[in-house]
């Protein structure tokens, strides 16, 4: 009979799943910039960006206003062996006349209680950080501000709606003048609950309250929060779900009793979901049902007493008592007898049933809105199964004998693909507020120290001009005879005297040796109207025993590979001109002679250093007695880069490589190159600028991290400029900073993993990826590296990568500015228009490097218009072009 009577309160799973979908839509509207103004579920950003990580410590005060009473706590978080939390609290009464009086009186009362508390704790002279739990819907634009949108529950103080409660409280404290407080955070009690549980369980990312009122919060991705700038990381959203349905979207499931409760409330038409669910209204709902049933003669033989008709006489705690499994019926008899209705045994069973239906409906409704949040989290993470923890607080959830169990059961049924742990929060609003404050305090300290450290990587315009000036001085030293010996920037002549003019023609071979692989290419260059370059190549490996054997073995291996290629292409008979890209430091004495100064990159073949590599190659070809080649040029890959671009753009007279290493070359006036005879025309100079700074001239901008990277490298003290710029080292700089930050407790919870101790783990491609991607993907990359990171960690890692690569690009730009300005002055021009041919993975793949470098060149060499052109295969095609130009000039001489 009762079931029939209350059938509208029994909700099927189908209905609950429908409500879940409706709430998910409401969440979406609340998060969106366009729909938020009219959305009923406000989805308020709380500016709480992370849960506790276990390293918080300090002495805090928490105020808690908004529940049934007003509490003040002192929370000490300490670290001896493990993190412990000590709490002392006082409860203060908030009389009805203050809750419904003026806002000034309310905040004077709060300030007075706080003064009394500090007096008792003997801390009036200390300025402790304060967290303020204020359990009403507030708009925040930062953590320490809360503009009250509307009072809910039992509060109705005038002049507070639309005002910032932190300002009101600060004003009240100032007015007293007997103590000082630093209010660092305004916290909603749901957020407090999530934070308290987050302290015990790192996986907690939802806070839920089912008490006097009801509400929930959860960690949302910043990219979905339109109302806050930035897409990085997460932020806790206070859903304010009590207002779900205020726009009429729940009318189909609201009953006549829900409507009657609403009409008699302090805030008609508002918080309609809360009025169907929370403790403030549950007893009243049951009372209204009992009155109606009695009037229709279904209960108490139709007896209706004045008590039964009095609002608030049947309380939620009575509902909890009546639903106890053992003594519930006795309790029902006791409670109903006090209301004077002389219940029969049947009446008690019926009333118990009514209570069950009302409280079960509440648990079901909460399960469906919670389900929507869980689905949102699961989709955000892009996982099949969600594992998460929900922190819960509130008198109804805690005191009602069946409520928690029913809520858990329904939730698991509605979202079967989630593993949800429900964690009961202890004093969420107090300890939670202290935790939010502690986290805020920790993060602000941390940000200050991180900014301080990374400030060393921020170079001013003045510092960059200084770098440009010093680079220029070092270049001059390398060009002059009397300083060349001691100069660090070697400025080696390449004997390449001209860039291509378009008349180059013929078939050329190119060799490219510079790493563990070795390439042989056939390049067919055709001049005329439709200039074309056609290339064929084959890659050969160089075994480690050959790299580190004798010079003869190395060159025999190279000649064997050439022989194989000539057979493969069917061109063994022709005596083709050949260009040899040899990417090791060489001193050239002519275009076709290069003396190896020293091996790098793991090569150690004997009897090569100090020898002419062209002679070694020619000897190898002679020993084979199979074919003959005309070795025309030894080529540095930087020069090759310049030549390939110059073939496309005659204005290209500079080559730049920023990849594993870094180097530059450019067309210098012969009159300035004292190491080579002759005054006429130009010649390409290979700066070997990686060694800039090896004499200490950059020490004022090198950081402890640069020094660490240098100390542990294979060539300590050498190539210092390169070590601040190029791909091989940037990842190492980052790794050293991350280790330092971890030691200082800013990262990875202070745990240095084995991975992080491994040198060269951070390849430059990771830097490029980390700076290009959203945070979630950054976390995935760090995970691949065996680094378990939180969102905060990922933000810091991204910031570090940005600082290091930005400095690299600026330093590189300062070097380039020195080169272009030198060319401009060489030629006596007001303005110079010039193109730079560029190659290298860092330049090509990094999302910001090229842009920052270009900007720096513009800022430091304002009289030069510099175009950057990406080179296609400088070491292959470039070598062939140098050979072609060499042949052209040789023929012209003859």
């Amino acid at each position: 009979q009762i079931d029939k009577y209350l059938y509208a309160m029994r909700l099927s799973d189908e209905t609950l799943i429908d409500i879940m979908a409706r709430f998910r839509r409401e969440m979406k509207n609340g998060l969106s910039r366009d729909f938020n103004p009219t959305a009923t579920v406000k989805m308020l950003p709380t500016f709480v960006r992370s849960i506790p990580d276990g390293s918080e410590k300090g002495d805090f005060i928490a105020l808690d206003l908004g529940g049934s009473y007003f509490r003040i706590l002192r929370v000490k978080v300490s670290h001896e062996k493990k993190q412990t939390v000590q709490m002392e609290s006082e409860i203060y009464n908030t009389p009805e006349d203050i809750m419904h009086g003026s806002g000034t009186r309310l905040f004077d009362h709060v300030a007075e209680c706080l003064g009394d508390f500090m007096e008792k704790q003997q801390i009036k002279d200390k300025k402790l950080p304060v967290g303020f739990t204020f359990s009403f819907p507030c708009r925040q634009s930062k953590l320490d501000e809360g503009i009250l949108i509307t009072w809910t529950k039992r509060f109705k103080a005038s002049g507070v709606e639309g005002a910032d409660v932190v300002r009101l409280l600060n004003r009240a404290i100032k007015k007293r003048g007997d103590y000082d407080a630093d209010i660092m955070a305004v916290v909603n009690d749901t957020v407090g609950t999530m934070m308290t549980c987050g302290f015990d369980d790192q996986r907690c990312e939802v806070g839920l309250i089912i008490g006097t009122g009801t509400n929930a919060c959860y960690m949302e991705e910043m990219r979905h929060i339109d109302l806050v700038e930035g897409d990085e990381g997460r932020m806790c959203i206070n859903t304010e779900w009590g207002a779900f349905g205020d726009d009429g979207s729940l009318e189909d499931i609201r009953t006549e009793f829900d409507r009657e409760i609403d009409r008699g409330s302090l805030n008609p038409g508002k918080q309609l979901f809360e009025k169907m669910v929370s403790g403030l209204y549950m007893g009243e709902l049951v009372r209204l049902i009992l009155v109606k049933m009695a009037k229709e003669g279904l209960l108490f033989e139709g007896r209706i007493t004045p008590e039964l008709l009095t609002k608030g006489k049947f309380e939620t705690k009575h509902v909890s008592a009546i639903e106890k499994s053992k003594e519930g019926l006795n309790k029902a008899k006791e409670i109903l007898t006090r209301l004077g209705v002389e219940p029969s045994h049947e009446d008690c069973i019926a009333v118990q049933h009514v209570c069950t239906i009302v409280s079960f409906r509440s648990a079901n409704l909460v399960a469906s809105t919670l389900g929507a949040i869980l689905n949102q989290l699961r989709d955000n993470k892009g996982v099949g199964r969600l594992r998460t923890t929900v922190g819960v607080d509130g008198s109804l959830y805690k005191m009602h004998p069946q409520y928690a169990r029913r809520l858990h059961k329904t939730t698991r049924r509605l979202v079967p693909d989630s593993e949800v742990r429900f964690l009961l929060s202890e004093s969420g609003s107090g300890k939670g507020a202290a935790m939010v404050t502690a986290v805020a305090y920790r993060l602000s300290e941390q940000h200050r120290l991180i900014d301080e450290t990374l400030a060393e990587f921020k170079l001013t315009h003045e510092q960059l001009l200084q770098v440009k000036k010093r680079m220029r001085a070092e270049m001059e030293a390398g060009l002059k005879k009397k300083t060349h010996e001691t100069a660090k920037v070697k400025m080696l002549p390449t004997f390449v005297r001209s860039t291509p003019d378009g008349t180059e023609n013929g078939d050329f071979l190119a060799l490219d040796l510079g790493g563990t692989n070795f390439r042989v290419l056939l390049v067919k260059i055709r001049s005329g109207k439709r200039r074309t370059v056609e290339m064929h190549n084959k890659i050969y490996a160089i075994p480690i025993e050959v790299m580190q054997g004798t010079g003869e073995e190395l060159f025999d291996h190279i000649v064997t590979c050439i022989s194989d290629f000539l057979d493969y292409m069917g061109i063994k008979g022709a005596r083709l001109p050949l260009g040899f890209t040899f990417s090791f430091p060489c001193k050239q004495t002519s275009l076709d002679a290069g003396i190896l100064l020293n091996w790098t990159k793991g090569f150690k073949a004997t009897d090569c250093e100090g020898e002419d590599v062209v002679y070694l190659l020619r000897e190898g070809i002679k020993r084979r007695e199979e074919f003959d080649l005309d070795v025309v040029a030894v080529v540095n890959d930087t020069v090759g880069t310049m030549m390939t671009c110059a073939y496309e753009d005659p204005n290209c007279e500079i080559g730049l490589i920023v990849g594993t290493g870094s180097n530059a070359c450019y067309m210098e006036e012969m009159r300035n190159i004292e190491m080579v005879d002759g005054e006429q025309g130009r010649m390409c100079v290979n700066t070997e600028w990686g060694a800039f700074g090896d004499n200490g001239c950059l020490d004022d901008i090198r950081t402890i991290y640069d020094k660490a990277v240098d100390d542990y490298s294979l060539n300590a003290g050498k190539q210092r400029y390169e070590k601040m710029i190029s791909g091989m080292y940037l990842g190492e700089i980052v790794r050293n900073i991350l280790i330092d930050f971890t030691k200082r407790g800013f990262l990875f919870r202070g745990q240095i993993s084995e991975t992080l101790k491994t040198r060269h783990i951070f390849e430059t491609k990771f830097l490029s990826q980390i700076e290009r991607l959203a945070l979630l993907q950054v976390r995935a990359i760090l995970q691949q590296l065996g680094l378990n990171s939180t969102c905060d960690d990922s933000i810091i890692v991204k910031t570090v990568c940005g600082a290091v690569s930005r400095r690299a690009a600026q330093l590189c730009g300062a070097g380039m500015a020195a080169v272009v300005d030198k060319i401009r002055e060489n030629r006596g021009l007001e303005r110079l228009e010039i193109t730079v041919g560029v190659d290298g993975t860092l330049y090509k793949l990094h999302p910001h490097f090229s842009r920052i470098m270009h900007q720096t060149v513009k800022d430091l060499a304002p009289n030069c218009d510099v175009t950057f052109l990406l080179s296609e295969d400088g070491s292959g095609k470039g070598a062939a072009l140098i050979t072609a130009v060499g042949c052209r000039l040789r023929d012209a001489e003859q």
Side-chain angles (χ1 to χ4, degrees):
Q1 206 179 4
I2 292 176
D3 284 349
K4 210 166 95 190
Y5 197 81
L6 291 180
Y7 84 97
M9 285 199 166
R10 319 280 309 242
L11 305 171
S12 67
D13 275 7
E14 203 179 344
T15 307
L16 293 177
I17 285 167
D18 183 40
I19 292 169
M20 191 154 83
R22 287 184 220 179
F23 185 64
R24 187 98 188 255
R25 278 198 299 277
E26 294 288 334
M27 285 167 66
K28 204 171 162 184
N29 288 343
L31 288 172
S32 112
R33 182 174 284 113
D34 302 338
F35 296 109
N36 177 277
T38 55
T40 46
V41 177
K42 280 297 179 212
M43 303 295 282
L44 303 167
T46 63
F47 293 85
V48 170
R49 295 172 191 267
S50 58
I51 56 173
D53 72 350
S55 69
E56 291 72 20
K57 48 179 182 287
D59 197 349
F60 307 97
I61 287 180
L63 307 178
D64 177 11
L65 179 69
S68 343
Y69 43 76
F70 169 48
R71 255 189 340 160
I72 304 183
L73 305 91
R74 181 176 181 189
V75 183
K76 286 185 198 157
V77 188
S78 68
H79 269 279
E80 261 67 65
K81 292 181 193 58
K82 61 187 251 310
Q83 204 172 25
T84 53
V85 180
Q86 260 184 300
M87 294 197 286
E88 301 170 62
S89 67
E90 290 271 332
I91 289 181
Y92 295 88
N93 199 3
T94 308
E96 191 94 0
D97 62 311
I98 285 187
M99 290 202 287
H100 298 166
S102 78
T104 316
R105 266 190 72 199
L106 174 64
F107 284 97
D108 284 348
H109 172 69
V110 171
E112 186 183 341
C113 297
L114 181 55
D116 171 74
F117 180 77
M118 290 174 84
E119 186 90 31
K120 284 182 181 148
Q121 291 278 329
Q122 302 175 337
I123 46 174
K124 262 196 160 160
D125 52 338
K126 284 189 185 160
K127 187 178 179 179
L128 295 184
V130 177
F132 184 14
T133 298
F134 187 71
S135 313
F136 303 93
C138 282
R139 273 205 192 291
Q140 294 185 266
S141 67
K142 46 185 199 283
L143 194 54
D144 58 354
E145 149 196 284
I147 292 158
L148 178 65
I149 297 174
T150 155
W151 285 114
T152 57
K153 293 171 290 204
R154 301 193 178 83
F155 280 73
K156 205 81 182 150
S158 61
V160 185
E161 294 183 338
D164 174 7
V165 295
V166 176
R167 288 203 29 211
L168 296 175
L169 178 53
N170 273 329
R171 200 181 300 157
I173 292 172
K174 255 206 187 66
K175 202 159 67 183
R176 293 175 58 85
D178 59 342
Y179 65 90
D180 206 356
D182 181 14
I183 300 168
M184 286 196 80
V186 180
V187 185
N188 181 282
D189 54 346
T190 40
V191 183
T193 298
M194 180 188 79
M195 292 299 269
T196 311
C197 294
F199 184 73
D200 300 315
D201 179 345
Q202 291 278 314
R203 256 212 294 277
C204 182
E205 46 194 350
V206 183
L208 171 63
I209 288 197
I210 317 162
T212 313
T214 181
N215 192 9
C217 69
Y218 71 101
M219 295 301 287
E220 177 58 272
E221 301 291 321
M222 280 289 286
R223 61 193 150 111
H224 294 154
I225 307 173
D226 285 0
L227 300 171
V228 183
E229 274 312 299
D231 286 339
E232 299 296 14
R234 305 200 299 169
M235 181 180 285
C236 181
I237 288 289
N238 165 16
T239 62
E240 286 296 338
W241 76 13
F244 179 31
D246 290 7
D247 58 353
S249 60
L250 293 176
E251 285 314 298
D252 54 333
I253 63 162
R254 287 177 74 227
T255 63
E256 50 179 310
F257 309 110
D258 296 306
R259 296 195 171 87
E260 197 175 334
I261 274 221
D262 180 46
R263 283 197 295 274
S265 67
L266 276 173
N267 53 352
K270 297 224 168 19
Q271 302 292 100
L272 297 184
F273 179 72
E274 180 168 80
K275 285 170 186 165
M276 296 165 77
V277 165
S278 81
L280 187 53
Y281 308 100
M282 190 173 285
E284 191 56 16
L285 267 175
V286 172
R287 186 186 69 82
L288 293 174
I289 295 170
L290 299 186
V291 168
K292 186 167 187 219
M293 287 176 74
K295 280 184 178 163
E296 294 184 20
L298 295 169
L299 277 178
F300 319 132
E301 297 173 352
R303 273 192 298 283
I304 294 168
T305 62
E307 284 84 0
L308 188 60
L309 288 173
T310 309
K311 185 176 166 188
K313 272 290 184 201
F314 197 97
E315 297 174 50
T316 302
K317 65 178 183 199
H318 299 147
V319 176
S320 296
I322 290 171
E323 282 194 66
K324 288 205 167 113
S325 45
K326 295 218 171 49
E327 70 263 39
L329 290 174
N330 295 338
K331 288 283 182 197
K333 195 170 177 73
E334 207 178 288
I335 290 158
L336 293 170
T337 305
R338 254 182 289 160
L339 293 175
V341 292
E342 302 165 32
S344 65
H345 185 63
E346 281 67 34
D347 287 337
C348 291
I349 291 174
V351 170
Q352 191 179 46
H353 200 55
V354 171
C355 289
T356 301
I357 289 173
V358 171
S359 66
F360 215 131
R361 178 182 73 155
S362 164
N364 280 341
L365 286 170
V366 172
S368 55
T369 46
L370 177 61
I373 289 178
L374 295 172
N375 281 336
Q376 176 86 349
L377 283 173
R378 191 195 60 207
D379 293 352
N380 282 350
K381 293 184 180 178
V383 291
R385 276 190 82 71
L386 173 75
R387 287 185 69 186
T388 192
T389 298
V390 178
V392 203
D393 201 353
S395 46
L396 183 57
Y397 181 89
K398 284 183 176 169
M399 300 309 184
H400 189 289
Q402 323 286 338
Y403 196 95
R405 193 177 45 82
R406 292 173 185 160
L407 172 70
H408 303 171
K409 209 168 160 184
T410 309
T411 304
R412 291 184 176 124
R413 209 169 58 241
L414 295 179
V415 277
D417 42 12
S418 296
E419 283 174 57
V420 188
R421 174 180 184 214
F422 288 88
L423 191 56
L424 199 56
S425 141
E426 3 137 32
S427 68
S429 35
K431 184 172 162 186
M435 276 302 142
V436 175
T437 311
V439 170
Y441 189 72
R442 169 174 65 84
L443 290 178
S444 69
E445 257 315 274
Q446 189 175 300
H447 282 304
R448 195 178 61 73
L449 293 166
I450 287 173
D451 289 346
E452 205 174 274
T453 302
L454 294 183
E456 295 186 62
F457 287 86
K458 291 197 170 68
L459 300 175
T460 61
H461 183 71
E462 275 55 51
Q463 283 175 304
L464 290 167
L465 269 176
Q466 204 50 45
V467 173
K468 173 189 168 189
K469 197 171 124 194
R470 291 174 201 169
M471 174 67 90
R472 175 70 183 265
E474 295 294 304
M475 286 167 66
E476 302 283 3
L479 288 170
K480 297 221 180 340
K481 229 184 194 127
K482 64 170 200 282
T483 46
H484 177 82
E485 260 321 293
T486 56
K488 291 297 181 187
V489 177
K490 278 297 178 205
M491 307 294 285
L492 304 169
T494 64
F495 296 87
V496 171
R497 295 167 189 272
S498 152
T499 51
D501 67 359
T503 64
E504 291 74 22
N505 197 46
D507 293 359
F508 305 92
L509 274 181
L511 307 182
D512 174 13
L513 177 68
T516 45
N517 284 334
F518 165 63
R519 277 192 313 162
V520 186
L521 306 91
L522 172 65
V523 184
K524 299 184 172 185
I525 302 175
R526 298 292 173 262
S527 61
K529 271 217 179 69
R530 301 203 38 232
R531 297 190 313 177
T532 59
V533 177
E534 183 192 322
M535 308 211 304
H536 304 271
N537 73 37
K538 207 169 167 188
I539 293 175
Y540 300 90
I542 297 182
I544 187 131
E545 58 273 16
V546 175
M547 284 167 64
Q548 306 186 350
T550 68
E552 263 192 23
E553 287 167 347
L554 176 61
F555 280 90
D556 282 346
H557 178 73
I558 289 171
V559 173
T560 307
C561 298
I562 299 172
S563 170
D564 172 82
F565 181 76
L566 296 177
D567 285 336
Y568 170 72
M569 295 300 296
I571 48 175
K572 226 181 204 148
R575 181 174 187 265
L576 291 176
L578 176 142
F580 186 8
T581 299
F582 187 73
S583 304
F584 300 92
C586 266
K587 184 173 184 343
Q588 280 182 255
T589 49
S590 67
L591 186 58
D592 64 349
I595 290 157
L596 172 65
L597 296 175
N598 54 287
W599 282 122
T600 56
K601 302 185 236 190
F603 276 76
K604 286 201 177 55
T606 57
D607 309 322
C608 295
E609 292 183 353
E611 298 294 328
D612 172 9
V613 294
V614 175
Y615 172 73
L616 296 174
L617 178 62
R618 284 180 179 144
E619 286 301 300
I621 293 171
K622 268 192 204 145
R623 280 197 297 278
R624 191 155 180 115
E625 294 179 339
E626 232 183 67
F627 54 88
D628 197 14
L629 295 172
D630 172 16
V631 185
V632 177
V634 186
V635 184
N636 177 284
D637 52 353
T638 319
V639 185
T641 298
M642 175 186 80
M643 293 299 268
T644 352
C645 291
Y647 191 66
E648 309 298 323
D649 174 353
N651 227 0
C652 175
E653 299 187 78
I654 303 175
L656 169 67
I657 288 190
V658 202
T660 315
S662 177
N663 193 11
C665 68
Y666 71 102
M667 296 303 288
E668 178 56 274
E669 308 301 315
M670 277 296 290
R671 64 172 189 272
N672 294 337
I673 307 173
E674 296 184 3
M675 302 304 294
V676 181
D677 294 340
E679 301 288 306
Q680 292 312 300
R682 298 180 181 147
M683 182 183 285
C684 179
V685 168
N686 165 16
T687 64
E688 288 293 340
W689 80 5
F692 175 38
D694 289 2
N695 55 5
C697 69
L698 293 177
D699 286 1
D700 55 336
I701 59 169
R702 288 172 75 228
T703 64
I704 53 171
Y705 309 107
D706 293 302
K707 295 190 179 78
V709 169
D710 184 29
D711 290 344
Y712 284 104
S713 65
L714 291 171
N715 52 352
K718 293 202 165 58
Q719 303 291 96
R720 289 182 181 173
Y721 179 60
E722 179 170 80
K723 283 172 187 165
M724 296 166 85
I725 288 181
S726 80
M728 189 165 166
Y729 303 100
L730 294 190
E732 272 302 278
I733 299 175
V734 168
R735 189 180 67 86
N736 276 282
I737 298 174
L738 298 187
I739 286 181
D740 182 43
F741 281 5
T742 308
K743 282 183 185 157
R744 290 160 69 185
F746 307 158
L747 270 180
F748 310 131
R749 308 206 177 91
Q751 306 291 312
I752 299 183
S753 64
E754 282 310 310
T755 319
L756 203 51
K757 291 183 198 155
T758 314
R759 302 231 313 272
H760 302 299
I761 174 81
F762 260 95
E763 297 164 52
T764 308
K765 65 165 190 221
F766 284 129
L767 294 195
S768 299
Q769 288 172 341
I770 284 172
E771 289 188 62
R772 186 184 289 111
L773 297 174
L775 274 197
L776 214 62
Q777 293 152 301
V778 173
R779 282 177 79 176
I781 289 180
L782 293 172
Q783 231 117 35
Q784 281 170 14
L785 293 174
L787 300 168
N788 248 324
S789 70
T790 60
C791 264
D792 290 332
D793 290 340
S794 308
I795 292 173
I796 294 170
V797 170
K798 200 164 176 174
T799 311
V800 170
C801 291
V804 171
S805 64
R806 183 181 184 81
R807 183 190 66 159
Q810 288 179 321
L811 284 172
C812 185
M816 189 43 67
V819 173
V820 293
D821 251 347
K822 177 156 192 353
I823 295 175
R824 186 179 62 82
E825 289 171 30
N826 283 347
R827 300 179 189 180
L829 298 170
E830 275 298 303
R831 283 202 83 73
L832 170 73
E833 278 191 35
I834 197 160
T835 300
V836 179
V838 201
D839 200 354
T841 44
L842 186 61
Y843 182 91
K844 282 181 174 168
L845 301 180
H846 192 283
H848 316 302
F849 189 96
S850 55
R851 179 177 48 85
I852 295 167
M853 188 192 91
H854 300 171
Q855 190 53 52
T856 308
V857 176
K858 219 188 204 122
D859 295 344
L860 300 180
N863 298 330
C864 302
D865 298 322
V866 186
T867 308
F868 291 86
L869 191 59
L870 269 181
S871 146
E872 285 308 310
D873 189 16
S875 41
K877 186 171 162 185
L881 284 164
I882 291 174
T883 308
V885 171
C887 291
R888 172 167 64 80
L889 295 178
R890 190 172 63 185
D891 297 347
E893 273 172 34
Q894 289 167 7

